[in-house]
């Protein structure tokens, strides 16, 4: 519940009054007449949702199970072998490029020994530096009581 100071009067919420000319009112009425129709198709005017809710309430009141809408079974399409389609696509692409169907030549890359040395040098460089000695303030002497 809102506090009394949070409640606004309805007069403050009203829109400001608007002055309309007779020409504007005539144009608005003409537009409504142009868009209005007396012929509403039967399938558009049917409220299927309200009918389904009404059927559900009636079934529950009578203790029957809830009615289910009949689902249309989708026709089964042809089964496609995806691997065969992929291989066929690859062969067509190779043929359009003028490539032969042979496998590519694979060359082994030489092993790099320098990379192993660099990682060893980096690990050695990461050792923590020795701590510098810091000066300590001289200890205060206790006061002598007189």
């Amino acid at each position: 519940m809102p506090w009394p100071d949070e409640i606004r009067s309805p007069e403050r919420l009203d829109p400001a009054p608007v002055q309309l000319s007779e020409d504007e009112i005539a144009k608005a009425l003409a537009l409504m007449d142009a868009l209005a129709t007396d012929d509403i198709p039967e399938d558009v005017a049917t409220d299927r949702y309200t009918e389904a809710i009404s059927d559900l309430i009636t079934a529950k009141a009578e203790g029957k199970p809830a009615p289910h809408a009949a689902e249309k079974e989708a026709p089964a399409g042809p089964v496609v072998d995806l691997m065969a389609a992929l291989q066929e696509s690859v062969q067509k692409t190779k043929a359009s490029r003028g490539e032969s169907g042979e496998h590519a030549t694979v060359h082994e890359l030489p092993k790099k020994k320098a990379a192993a040395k660099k990682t060893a040098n980096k690990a050695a460089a990461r050792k923590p530096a020795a701590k510098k000695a810091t000066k300590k303030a001289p200890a205060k002497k206790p006061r002598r009581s007189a």
Side-chain angles (χ1 to χ4, degrees), residues 12 19 24 39 55 59 80 106 111 145:
R12 287 184 24 203
Q19 297 295 326
E24 290 175 322
D39 301 329
D55 293 344
V80 179
V106 178
K111 295 182 181 179
S145 50

Side-chain angles (χ1 to χ4, degrees), residues 12-91:
R12 287 184 24 203
L13 300 176
D14 287 341
V18 178
Q19 297 295 326
L20 298 175
S21 66
E22 292 296 323
D23 186 42
E24 290 175 322
I25 294 173
K27 287 180 182 179
L29 291 173
L31 178 62
M32 289 191 318
D33 288 339
L35 296 176
T37 181
D38 293 331
D39 301 329
I40 298 175
E42 186 66 32
D43 61 332
V44 174
T46 305
D47 187 5
R48 292 185 186 91
Y49 180 77
T50 304
E51 289 177 3
I53 294 294
S54 176
D55 293 344
L56 177 66
I57 292 170
T58 305
K60 290 287 185 174
E62 295 174 358
K64 297 179 182 176
H68 294 284
E71 294 181 17
K72 296 179 182 176
E73 190 172 317
V79 178
V80 179
D81 183 10
L82 294 178
M83 280 305 291
L86 177 63
Q87 289 173 349
E88 181 182 345
S89 173
V90 169
Q91 293 301 325

Side-chain angles (χ1 to χ4, degrees), residues 6-14:
E6 295 176 333
I7 299 173
R8 295 183 282 173
S9 70
E11 290 83 26
R12 287 184 24 203
L13 300 176
D14 287 341

